[in-house]
């Protein structure tokens, strides 16, 4: 009996001990919160909220957002719908130029002379252009100085300008009438326009060179005429442009149409053979796109700047290009460095100031009447790089609303994080 009581007492204390440790506690177990939002769901919801803007009762939009590392699609809307790309066309011109010509490609402008045994007198002097889009009058002056250093005193023939590196079609397909002052030529100086004595830009360059030589004491007996450098002519001076990497930056940062069109025809000449034409330029870009994608793309390019409304593409192709270029080690630095930085420079200088995207997002803008585009890269809050394309078209009035939507999307993407995003409550 005593042993039985002792056993029961020990058992009682053992149960009390276990209960105190919580082994048999009936307290409800706290479950993890169930109201956390999947970060991608939150991202899509935030972008969708921006797209509730009344502008889209009439306007069209296409958006695609992709991780450049994994290729995962973070957001997509109307990715196959075609839009006028406006100046986002320059992304394709820049990418093809860097890939096919190389970042160190340089444009040369040369002086040639007919073969002669007299070092002080030459027959014809030839000035040949090969599409340098940033040629300046100072560069022609340096060519003149180089010629004078050879001892030439008299040119008894003509100054022959050679623009045969391009064809002589001066205006791009589908350009508006007020774009015609471009008057493209392989030998051009942008601020040196033809006058009554010069029917094209090449002739204008020739007249400038003749005036400079005359001022420096060289007698020029002949006229300025168009022609081609003979195969037996001797090279007497040359001017090299800065490398293509520099020129692409000068194109994309301010969205320079002139540089884009000169590059477009140069690509055609170098890839498909002289003379460079708009047709050859678009063929070269098409071949490049077939190389870097599966070839199943719907688009139309007719020029290099995006001035033409014949150009059509979608955000699917935009992001394919951006992902490829970012993952191409040889081309990525020059390509990304050419893009405007939000709130800092180029066409994004005054945009996204004070937002998370400021100083982070890099993108190419595009604007035509009723068209607004933005395409490029940003880095998320957790350090991931994403590529995006946003094409908005068919609206009436100012582009301010469309740009505001693009800036808002850029800011959402820059704030995005797989970890932190879910911790924040939905704002709507």
């Amino acid at each position: 009996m005593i042993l039985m009581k002792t056993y029961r007492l020990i058992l009682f204390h053992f149960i009390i001990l276990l209960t105190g440790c919580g082994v048999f506690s009936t307290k409800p177990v706290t479950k993890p919160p169930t109201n956390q939002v999947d970060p991608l769901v939150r991202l899509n919801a935030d972008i969708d909220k921006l797209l509730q803007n009344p502008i889209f009762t009439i306007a069209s939009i296409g958006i695609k957002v992709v991780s450049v590392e994994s290729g995962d699609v973070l957001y997509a809307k109307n990715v196959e719908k075609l839009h006028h790309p406006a100046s986002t066309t320059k992304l394709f011109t820049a990418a093809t130029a860097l890939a096919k010509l190389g970042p160190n490609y340089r444009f040369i402008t040369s002086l040639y002379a007919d073969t002669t045994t007299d070092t002080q007198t030459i027959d014809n002097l030839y000035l040949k252009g090969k599409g340098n889009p940033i040629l300046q009058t100072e560069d022609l002056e340096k060519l003149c100085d180089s010629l004078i250093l050879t001892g030439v005193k008299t040119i008894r023939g003509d100054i022959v300008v050679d623009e045969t590196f391009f064809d002589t079609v001066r205006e791009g397909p589908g350009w508006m009438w007020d774009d015609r002052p471009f008057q493209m030529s392989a030998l051009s100086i942008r601020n040196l326009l033809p006058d009554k004595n010069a029917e094209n830009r090449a002739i204008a360059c020739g007249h400038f060179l003749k005036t400079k030589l005359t001022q420096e004491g060289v007698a020029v007996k002949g006229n300025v005429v168009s022609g081609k450098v003979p195969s037996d002519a001797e090279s007497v001076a040359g001017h090299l442009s800065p490398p293509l990497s520099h020129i692409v930056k000068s194109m994309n940062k301010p969205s320079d149409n002139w540089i884009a069109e000169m590059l477009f025809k140069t690509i055609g000449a170098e890839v498909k053979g002289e003379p460079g034409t708009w047709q050859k330029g678009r063929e070269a870009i098409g071949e490049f796109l077939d190389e870097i994608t599966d070839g199943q793309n719907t688009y139309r390019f007719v020029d290099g700047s995006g001035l033409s409304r014949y150009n059509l593409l979608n955000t699917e192709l935009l992001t394919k290009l951006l992902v490829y270029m970012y993952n191409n080690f040889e081309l990525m630095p020059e390509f990304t460095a050419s893009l405007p930085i939000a709130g800092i420079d180029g066409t994004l200088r005054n945009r996204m100031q004070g937002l998370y995207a400021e100083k982070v997002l890099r993108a190419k803008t595009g604007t035509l009447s009723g068209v607004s585009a933005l395409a490029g890269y940003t880095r998320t809050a957790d350090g991931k790089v994403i590529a995006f394309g946003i094409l908005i078209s068919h609206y009436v009035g100012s582009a301010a609303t469309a740009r505001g939507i693009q800036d808002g999307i850029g800011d959402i993407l820059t704030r995005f994080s797989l970890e932190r995003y879910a911790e924040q409550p939905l704002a709507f």
Side-chain angles (χ1 to χ4, degrees):
M1 180 64 75
I2 294 172
L3 288 174
M4 182 61 71
K5 289 181 179 179
T6 302
Y7 174 76
R8 288 175 179 173
L9 185 62
I10 292 171
L11 181 61
F12 175 77
H13 285 293
F14 182 70
I15 291 172
I16 292 299
L17 179 63
L18 290 178
T19 303
C21 293
V23 176
F24 294 103
S25 173
T26 59
K27 184 179 179 180
V29 177
T30 303
K31 296 181 179 180
T34 58
N35 61 347
Q36 283 193 332
V37 179
D38 180 279
L40 285 179
V41 172
R42 168 69 190 280
L43 175 71
N44 280 252
D46 281 358
I47 295 176
D48 285 341
K49 183 182 179 182
L50 280 177
L51 301 187
Q52 298 306 307
N53 191 288
I55 190 177
F56 296 115
T57 58
I58 56 171
S60 302
I61 187 168
I63 306 174
K64 189 167 185 181
V65 182
V66 184
S67 166
V68 298
E69 182 179 1
S70 66
D72 292 340
V73 178
L74 306 182
Y75 185 91
K77 186 179 186 67
N78 300 329
V79 298
E80 300 291 348
K81 294 289 187 182
L82 294 172
H83 297 257
H84 301 304
S87 282
T88 57
T89 301
K90 295 182 179 74
L91 293 171
F92 295 85
T93 303
T96 308
L98 289 169
K100 296 301 181 181
L101 308 181
N104 295 317
Y105 179 90
R106 293 173 183 260
F107 298 83
I108 185 168
T109 306
S110 305
L111 280 181
Y112 296 85
D114 287 326
T115 303
T116 178
T117 56
D118 185 346
T119 58
Q120 293 190 340
T121 302
I122 60 176
D123 290 328
N124 294 319
L125 180 69
Y126 303 90
L127 175 62
K128 182 174 178 63
K130 297 196 71 175
N132 183 354
I134 58 171
L135 189 68
Q136 304 293 322
T137 54
E138 292 85 353
D139 302 326
L140 292 188
E141 289 174 352
K142 291 176 183 177
L143 286 175
C144 174
D145 293 341
S146 296
L147 177 65
I148 291 171
L149 287 175
T150 66
V152 170
K153 300 294 185 182
T154 303
I155 300 171
R156 58 190 177 199
D158 295 324
I159 292 180
V160 181
V161 294
D162 184 342
E163 58 171 337
T164 58
F165 188 65
F166 292 169
D167 67 359
T168 55
V169 178
R170 311 296 184 189
E171 302 162 17
W175 286 4
M176 303 292 283
W177 67 268
D178 49 354
D179 296 319
R180 292 180 180 180
F182 271 23
Q183 298 183 17
M184 309 300 297
S185 169
L187 177 60
S188 297
I189 293 176
R190 189 190 310 223
N191 60 358
L192 197 60
L193 295 171
D195 57 23
K196 62 182 180 180
N197 297 315
E199 64 270 22
N200 61 54
R201 288 184 178 272
I203 293 291
C205 288
H207 278 294
F208 180 88
L209 181 64
K210 180 179 180 180
T211 298
K212 180 64 178 176
L213 286 168
T214 302
Q215 291 173 347
E216 295 298 322
V218 177
V220 182
K221 304 296 187 180
N223 300 313
V224 177
V225 298
S226 294
K228 189 171 182 178
V229 178
S231 58
D232 60 348
E234 295 182 351
S235 175
V236 293
H239 172 266
L240 287 174
S241 74
L244 180 64
S245 56
H246 172 89
I247 292 173
V248 166
K249 184 182 293 185
S250 297
M251 174 181 72
N252 279 339
K253 291 280 189 182
S255 198
D256 192 297
N257 296 325
W258 170 269
I259 294 176
E261 298 303 342
M262 296 287 276
L263 277 183
F264 196 75
K265 280 195 169 184
T266 298
I267 293 167
E270 295 287 12
V271 175
K272 307 298 291 184
E274 299 180 27
T277 67
W278 273 287
Q279 175 67 32
K280 290 178 181 178
R282 60 177 173 260
E283 288 175 1
I285 288 181
E287 291 174 2
F288 171 64
L289 291 176
D290 286 344
E291 291 172 12
I292 69 172
T293 68
D294 56 14
Q296 302 300 309
N297 305 302
T298 303
Y299 63 89
R300 182 172 64 205
F301 291 115
V302 301
D303 69 9
S305 66
L307 280 172
S308 177
R309 289 185 178 268
Y310 295 164
N311 296 316
L312 291 169
L313 60 82
N314 54 36
T315 56
E316 177 71 19
L317 184 58
L318 263 176
T319 52
K320 281 182 181 179
L321 177 79
L322 291 167
V323 170
Y324 172 82
M325 292 302 289
Y326 196 88
N327 289 319
N328 187 309
F329 179 79
E330 295 180 352
L331 304 179
M332 184 272 283
E334 288 80 9
F335 184 74
T336 56
S338 76
L339 301 178
I341 304 171
I344 299 296
D345 63 10
T347 54
L348 289 180
R349 178 177 61 257
N350 298 319
R351 293 177 60 175
M352 294 176 242
Q353 293 177 341
L355 302 181
Y356 285 88
E358 183 181 9
K359 300 180 182 179
V360 178
L361 182 145
R362 292 174 176 259
K364 184 71 200 71
T365 59
T367 305
L368 291 171
S369 178
V371 176
S372 184
L374 188 70
Y377 309 97
T378 194
R379 187 182 67 248
T380 65
D382 48 8
K384 305 297 183 182
V385 178
I386 54 179
F388 64 89
I390 308 170
L391 298 173
I392 302 175
S393 59
H394 304 114
Y395 60 85
V396 177
S398 170
T401 300
R403 289 173 180 167
I405 292 167
Q406 294 160 0
D407 293 355
I409 293 173
D411 199 53
I412 290 170
L413 297 178
T414 308
R415 288 191 293 110
F416 176 68
S417 166
L418 285 172
E419 291 83 21
R420 304 177 206 170
Y421 214 64
E423 297 172 4
Q424 302 172 2
L426 285 173
F428 49 91

